[in-house]
């Protein structure tokens, strides 16, 4: 799998996991995950990860104390994607 296909797969996972959290009525995302979902879809559709403006803007609260395991896993997926892009597309 080439780097672009791998990035697409990682983005797909992030989108699916974000949608799953949004759909769970037990979780409180305060609308920020809906905003993030739209942003990450645009990021994917426009292949922004191939440009210099490749940083993913995550909700500020994501990663803070009190997140659910699903939110923590989502954040870990985002960090893995950013590290992969930095390594494979940006040279480190």
């Amino acid at each position: 799998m080439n780097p672009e296909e791998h990035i697409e797969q990682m983005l797909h996972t992030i989108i699916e996991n974000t949608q799953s959290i949004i759909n769970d009525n037990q979780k409180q995302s305060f609308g920020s995950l809906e905003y993030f979902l739209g942003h990450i879809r645009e990021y994917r559709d426009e292949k922004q990860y191939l440009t210099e403006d490749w940083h993913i803007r995550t909700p500020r609260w994501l990663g803070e104390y009190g997140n659910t395991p699903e939110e923590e896993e989502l954040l870990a997926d985002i960090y893995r994607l950013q590290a992969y892009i930095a390594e494979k597309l940006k040279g480190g």
Side-chain angles (χ1 to χ4, degrees):
M1 177 180 311
N2 71 41
E4 189 173 341
E5 289 171 335
H6 190 70
I7 290 167
E8 289 283 337
Q9 181 181 5
M10 294 172 84
L11 282 166
H12 180 74
T13 299
I14 289 170
I15 289 167
E16 281 187 342
N17 291 345
T18 302
Q19 190 66 60
S20 176
I21 293 168
I22 290 169
N23 291 341
D24 187 339
N25 293 339
Q26 303 291 353
K27 296 182 178 55
Q28 301 258 337
S29 68
F30 309 107
S32 58
L33 280 181
E34 289 91 345
Y35 175 80
F36 170 74
L37 183 60
H39 170 72
I40 201 74
R41 283 180 174 151
E42 178 182 329
Y43 182 84
R44 176 203 59 199
D45 294 346
E46 295 180 9
K47 297 187 185 280
Q48 291 178 8
Y49 52 85
L50 296 175
T51 70
E52 291 301 314
D53 181 29
W54 63 273
H55 183 73
I56 298 172
R57 291 178 289 276
T58 59
R60 255 183 289 181
W61 58 266
L62 196 58
E64 293 180 357
Y65 179 78
N67 288 157
T68 66
E70 295 86 359
E71 291 164 341
E72 291 295 327
E73 183 60 30
L74 176 61
L75 185 61
D77 288 344
I78 292 166
Y79 286 157
R80 279 191 287 274
L81 173 61
Q82 289 176 327
Y84 184 83
I85 289 171
E87 179 185 335
K88 297 294 183 180
L89 298 184
K90 306 299 178 185

